[in-house]
């Protein structure tokens, strides 16, 4: 169902691709948008147990697109270094493919918000954290269940031993 990577020598292990997802700050969520146009939106996220969690407003382009087509991809670029004298870029990246849905219950929504808070606000005081988590019903939580995950790196980084 999913294509094999054309440059197999640049393919990273699943473990390395998961590491990129765990450590990245944001990625680009690609959806099927209005009138056949793709819609790609930069967004922060949390990754756990083969799922990627996003928080979102209760209405908008993302949610409309998901209602029409739940198949999405999500790309995170970890390293990125322009090498002008070689006319190239050294990079590592991961792309997750899967189906996305709204979190189905408050427990799943709270779990996602806790993951996001742990990742992006680990040192915030307890009262502020609890206040934010109490907003569980004020946001939508999107859950991407990964069906296929790839990682890719520049040939030069592969030669240096990145796997």
């Amino acid at each position: 169902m999913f294509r094999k990577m054309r440059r197999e020598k640049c393919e990273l292990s699943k473990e390395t691709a998961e590491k990129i997802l765990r450590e990245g700050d944001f990625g680009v969520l690609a959806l099927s948008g209005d009138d056949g146009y793709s819609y790609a939106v930069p967004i922060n996220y949390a990754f756990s147990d083969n799922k990627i969690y996003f928080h979102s407003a209760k209405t908008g382009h993302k949610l409309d697109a998901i209602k029409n087509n739940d198949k999405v991809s999500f790309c995170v670029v970890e390293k990125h270094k322009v090498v002008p004298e070689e006319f190239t870029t050294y990079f590592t990246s991961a792309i997750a493919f899967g189906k996305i849905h709204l979190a189905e219950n408050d427990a799943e929504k709270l779990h996602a918000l806790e993951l996001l808070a742990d990742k992006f606000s680990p040192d915030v005081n307890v009262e502020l954290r609890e206040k934010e988590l109490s907003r569980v019903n004020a946001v939508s939580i999107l859950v991407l269940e990964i069906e296929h995950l790839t990682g890719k790196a520049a040939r030069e980084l592969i030669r240096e031993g990145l796997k």
Side-chain angles (χ1 to χ4, degrees), residues 10-19 149-152 163:
C10 294
E11 188 169 4
L12 299 174
S13 69
K14 181 180 179 190
E15 293 76 21
T16 302
E18 288 176 344
K19 179 181 181 289
L149 177 63
T150 63
K152 185 177 180 182
K163 285 288 175 191

Side-chain angles (χ1 to χ4, degrees), residues 85-96:
E85 62 276 6
E86 295 180 28
F87 299 93
T88 193
T89 303
Y90 294 176
F91 67 92
T92 56
S93 64
I95 302 177

Side-chain angles (χ1 to χ4, degrees), residues 125-155:
N125 73 48
V126 175
E127 293 88 23
L128 188 56
R129 179 186 171 96
E130 291 305 316
K131 181 180 177 184
E132 189 63 25
L133 293 178
S134 72
R135 297 183 58 238
V136 69
N137 290 315
V139 298
S140 292
I141 297 294
L142 302 170
V143 183
L144 168 54
E145 300 204 25
I146 298 173
E147 296 176 13
H148 183 68
L149 177 63
T150 63
K152 185 177 180 182
R155 291 184 309 258

Side-chain angles (χ1 to χ4, degrees), residues 32-39:
S32 296
D34 296 340
D35 297 322
Y37 286 96
S38 57
Y39 176 59

Side-chain angles (χ1 to χ4, degrees), residues 70-115:
D70 64 349
K71 293 179 181 177
V72 302
S73 65
F74 183 67
C75 177
V76 175
V77 177
E78 178 188 42
K79 295 179 183 176
H80 175 263
K81 178 184 174 189
V82 176
V83 185
E85 62 276 6
E86 295 180 28
F87 299 93
T88 193
T89 303
Y90 294 176
F91 67 92
T92 56
S93 64
I95 302 177
F97 299 85
K99 293 184 180 175
I100 194 167
H101 64 273
L102 286 168
E104 297 171 3
N105 57 58
D106 285 348
E108 186 176 32
K109 288 172 74 173
L110 184 58
H111 174 66
L113 287 177
E114 287 173 337
L115 289 170

Side-chain angles (χ1 to χ4, degrees), residues 29-34 39-44 54-70 72 100 102 140 142:
L29 180 63
L31 309 120
S32 296
D34 296 340
Y39 176 59
V41 60
I43 189 169
N44 62 26
F54 312 93
H55 77 291
S56 174
K58 294 242 181 206
T59 62
H61 197 165
K62 273 192 309 282
L63 296 182
D64 292 343
I66 291 165
K67 287 176 191 169
N68 292 324
N69 185 350
D70 64 349
V72 302
I100 194 167
L102 286 168
S140 292
L142 302 170

